[in-house]
């Protein structure tokens, strides 16, 4: 049976929790009934911290590497599918769930787009150490403490600021994970380079158009956000800048072939209009393609 969670109260009922605040709660999954897998639709922000491996999650194109001490982030509009639907299990761990309306008028509302891990849609969950787990639980405890108090004019500010603190810690933990998984990231960067080279050796640029970040992310089974963050951490450039640099290097080689016009080269590189190619080339190189050809 598919489940659709539109409100925090819906999710509280599913997990056998009382609703202290209509827009936010901290969940203790050990209180929930045993369950089998369901496909779940969320109109909420959710963060899950599992204490044991239970239920293989399919999120995006791949199954999460979802072990003990793993944090998974879900944003409104996303779907999670538990694959082992026939096996009954007792969920264990904790979670934070909050409705987008909680953020209205708060400083956190303007920052949510910066937490790109809410849009990692494939296999990259956040794996945390015991020390990091304690920090997460401390943040959850502060939020839960506020939920147990009578609502006053300070409640929303304190709750959202503690959520912001928690998300800032997660940002730090992801930076650490990018570093500790450097060997995996290097393999992804190598595969990206191979795909990028193949893009221009084949007719893909002509057939598909200018190479986009999403194309490479999908071929590497990563979300665009995670892929972009990984490339930025590994190279210091955004994925789009990295692609554009490759395009310019290929363009420089082809400009030496005087049998082709600048317009022909621009179409071969995936540009819909030659003037777009000329503008990018001049921006990156300092001279137009025609000037570059005459200089060389």
């Amino acid at each position: 049976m598919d489940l659709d969670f539109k409100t925090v109260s819906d999710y509280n009922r599913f997990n056998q929790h009382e609703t202290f605040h209509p827009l936010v709660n901290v969940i203790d999954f050990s209180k929930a009934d045993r369950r089998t897998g369901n496909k779940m639709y969320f109109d909420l922000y959710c963060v899950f911290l599992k204490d044991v491996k239970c239920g293989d999650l399919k999120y995006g194109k791949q199954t999460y590497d979802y072990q003990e001490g793993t944090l998974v982030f879900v944003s409104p509009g996303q779907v999670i599918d538990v694959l082992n639907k026939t096996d009954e299990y007792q969920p264990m761990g904790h979670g934070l769930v909050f409705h987008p309306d909680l953020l209205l008028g708060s400083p956190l509302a303007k920052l949510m787009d910066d937490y790109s891990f809410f849009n990692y849609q494939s296999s990259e969950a956040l794996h945390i150490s015991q020390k990091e787990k304690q920090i997460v639980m401390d943040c959850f405890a502060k939020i839960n403490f506020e939920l147990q108090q009578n609502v006053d004019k300070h409640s929303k500010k304190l709750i959202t600021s503690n959520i912001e603190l928690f998300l800032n810690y997660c940002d730090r933990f992801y930076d650490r994970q990018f570093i500790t998984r450097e060997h995996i990231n290097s393999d992804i960067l190598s595969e990206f380079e191979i795909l990028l080279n193949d893009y221009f050796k084949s007719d893909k640029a002509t057939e598909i158009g200018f190479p986009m970040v999403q194309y490479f992310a999908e071929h590497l089974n990563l979300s665009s956000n995670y892929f972009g963050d990984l490339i930025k951490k590994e190279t210091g450039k955004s994925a789009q800048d990295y692609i554009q640099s490759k395009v310019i290097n290929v363009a420089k080689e082809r400009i030496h072939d005087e049998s082709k016009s600048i317009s022909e080269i621009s179409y071969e590189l995936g540009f819909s209009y030659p003037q777009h190619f000329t503008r990018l080339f001049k921006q990156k190189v300092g001279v137009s393609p025609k000037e570059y050809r005459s200089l060389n």
Side-chain angles (χ1 to χ4, degrees):
M1 180 181 67
D2 293 351
L3 300 169
D4 191 359
F5 300 111
K6 294 186 178 299
T7 68
V8 170
S9 296
D10 291 340
Y11 199 61
N12 285 340
R13 280 192 295 273
F14 179 66
N15 290 290
Q16 306 297 324
H17 277 62
E18 188 177 346
T19 299
F20 295 103
H21 190 297
L23 299 178
V24 59
N25 201 16
V26 174
I27 304 292
D28 178 353
F29 289 109
S30 67
K31 296 179 180 179
D33 294 334
R34 292 179 64 83
R35 64 182 64 156
T36 54
N38 301 97
K39 183 177 284 187
M40 294 176 281
Y41 301 83
F42 290 90
D43 289 344
L44 311 165
Y45 286 100
C46 300
V47 185
F48 306 124
L49 172 63
K50 289 298 186 181
D51 287 340
V52 295
K53 181 172 175 59
C54 54
D56 294 323
L57 294 186
K58 187 177 181 184
Y59 188 28
K61 293 191 171 183
Q62 291 203 336
T63 304
Y64 256 117
D65 183 3
Y66 196 43
Q67 310 273 334
E68 178 183 352
T70 302
L71 277 172
V72 174
F73 300 83
V74 179
S75 60
Q78 292 179 329
V79 180
I80 284 185
D81 193 8
V82 180
L83 298 182
N84 47 339
K85 291 184 170 60
T86 58
D87 299 334
E88 191 177 80
Y89 65 91
Q90 174 63 51
M92 297 293 289
H94 294 80
L96 171 66
V97 55
F98 57 98
H99 195 280
D101 286 357
L102 176 72
L103 309 180
L104 295 176
S106 73
L108 181 56
K110 298 176 181 178
L111 300 174
M112 286 305 292
D113 287 344
D114 295 338
Y115 301 115
S116 54
F117 43 77
F118 271 108
N119 291 306
Y120 291 172
Q121 293 182 0
S122 54
S123 59
E124 286 301 334
L126 176 58
H127 307 278
I128 57 176
S129 68
Q130 278 300 120
K131 286 184 178 180
E132 291 169 344
K133 180 180 175 181
Q134 188 56 55
I135 292 172
V136 170
M137 294 306 298
D138 287 346
C139 289
F140 283 2
K142 288 184 174 71
I143 296 167
N144 197 44
F145 174 81
E146 281 305 317
L147 293 176
Q148 308 303 315
Q149 310 307 307
N150 292 326
V151 175
D152 58 27
K153 66 179 183 179
H154 302 288
S155 299
K156 180 174 179 176
K157 182 178 180 180
L158 288 166
I159 291 170
T160 56
S161 62
N162 275 297
I163 292 175
E164 183 181 341
L165 176 64
F166 163 65
L167 297 178
N168 286 337
Y169 272 117
C170 292
D171 223 359
R172 169 188 275 180
F173 299 158
Y174 255 117
D175 277 350
R176 185 268 310 150
Q177 180 163 294
F178 276 118
I179 294 169
T180 56
R181 294 187 150 204
E182 192 172 357
H183 64 291
I184 298 173
N185 298 343
S186 295
D187 289 345
I188 292 172
L189 187 58
S190 297
E191 289 182 50
F192 173 37
E193 189 67 34
I194 291 168
L195 285 169
L196 202 46
N197 287 331
D198 176 67
Y199 201 89
F200 293 107
K201 286 178 181 176
S202 66
D203 295 326
K204 287 187 175 68
T206 307
E207 296 169 356
I208 302 173
F210 190 87
M212 304 299 288
V213 172
Q214 186 177 355
Y215 170 88
F216 298 104
E218 288 178 353
H219 278 72
L220 293 167
N221 289 318
L222 298 170
S223 68
S224 295
N225 284 61
Y226 186 86
F227 174 67
D229 289 348
L230 185 152
I231 297 301
K232 181 75 171 177
K233 296 283 192 305
E234 288 293 305
T235 69
K237 294 180 179 179
S238 70
Q240 189 62 40
D241 282 341
Y242 194 94
I243 292 168
Q244 288 179 355
S245 295
K246 182 67 176 181
V247 170
I248 295 303
N249 288 335
V250 175
K252 286 178 177 178
E253 293 174 8
R254 297 189 183 184
I255 284 171
H256 286 290
D257 181 1
E258 294 189 14
S259 67
K260 293 181 178 179
S261 69
I262 299 300
S263 292
E264 286 176 305
I265 293 170
S266 71
Y267 292 129
E268 285 180 358
L269 294 173
F271 289 88
S272 300
Y273 303 100
Q275 57 266 38
H276 292 174
F277 167 56
T278 298
R279 187 183 306 128
L280 178 64
F281 192 93
K282 190 167 185 177
Q283 176 189 335
K284 297 292 185 181
V285 182
V287 294
S288 70
K290 286 183 179 178
E291 290 170 329
Y292 184 83
R293 173 174 275 177
S294 65
L295 287 170
N296 289 274

